[in-house]
Amino acid sequence: MARGRAVRRFRRTRLGGPFGARTDRGALSIFVAMCAGYVVLVIALVIDAGGKLRLAERVDGYAQEAARVGGQQLDEAALLQGQGYKVRTAYAEEAANSYLKLYGLKAKKVDFLDGGATVEITVEAEFRPVMLGDLAKRKVTGKGRATLVHGVKEAETD
């Protein structure tokens, strides 16, 4: 009988019986599950942020090359008439878009600065995240600028 009372007292105090203290059984597994969820979320953020940075770098490179291609479309009639070197705007935009079409992109905006001597192209691409799905879906914008230079004999200084 004394042994039975001792066992009941042990169960109430140590194991959290109906009137005993509450136990912490399973609390560690909940903590580990929450931490594992946060670790997965951080890994997903790192992977998708890195992918977005890579896409931004590529879009900038495509925009720069498209501006270079567009800047090579000279207005030959203006040059022969002595009006200087200028870019044919319609041909430049068409050439830039045909270059970007190779990569499935299109110029969002094409600007001609300095009287047609500089071509600035803005390209926009959609970033599709790998792990976060539609939560991190964003547009990535890249800009490229090419200036028409001719007869350069020495480097320009700012």
Side-chain angles (χ1 to χ4, degrees):
M1 194 83 153
R3 184 170 186 259
R5 270 189 259 152
V7 169
R8 280 188 295 238
R9 190 178 320 134
F10 174 78
R11 285 185 181 157
R12 272 192 304 235
T13 58
R14 295 288 184 180
L15 301 178
F19 301 105
R22 197 179 111 208
T23 65
D24 290 334
R25 293 181 92 185
L28 186 61
S29 62
I30 292 172
F31 175 74
V32 169
M34 288 174 54
C35 287
Y38 284 121
V39 167
V40 169
L41 181 65
V42 168
I43 290 171
L45 286 171
V46 167
I47 288 173
D48 286 341
K52 185 176 178 183
L53 288 174
R54 280 193 310 274
L55 179 65
E57 185 179 344
R58 279 199 319 263
V59 169
D60 275 342
Y62 295 150
Q64 184 66 38
E65 288 300 313
R68 184 190 59 78
V69 168
Q72 292 176 344
Q73 308 306 314
L74 293 178
D75 187 356
E76 296 164 355
L79 182 63
L80 291 174
Q81 293 172 1
Q83 296 173 359
Y85 292 90
K86 292 182 184 173
V87 175
R88 292 182 87 174
T89 57
Y91 289 164
E93 191 168 345
E94 184 181 325
N97 276 322
S98 66
Y99 173 80
L100 290 171
K101 189 176 180 182
L102 295 172
Y103 302 102
L105 299 170
K106 188 174 188 297
K108 181 180 178 185
K109 188 167 99 174
V110 179
D111 291 327
F112 298 96
L113 312 170
D114 301 329
T118 300
V119 179
E120 183 177 79
I121 295 185
T122 304
V123 178
E124 191 172 80
E126 187 172 323
F127 172 66
R128 292 183 186 93
V130 175
M131 298 187 76
L132 293 177
D134 289 339
L135 292 174
K137 200 174 196 180
R138 299 275 190 260
K139 297 273 187 189
V140 177
T141 304
K143 280 191 176 183
R145 181 182 283 190
T147 303
L148 179 64
V149 292
H150 57 87
V152 177
K153 295 184 179 157
E154 58 186 56
E156 292 181 11
T157 57
D158 289 336

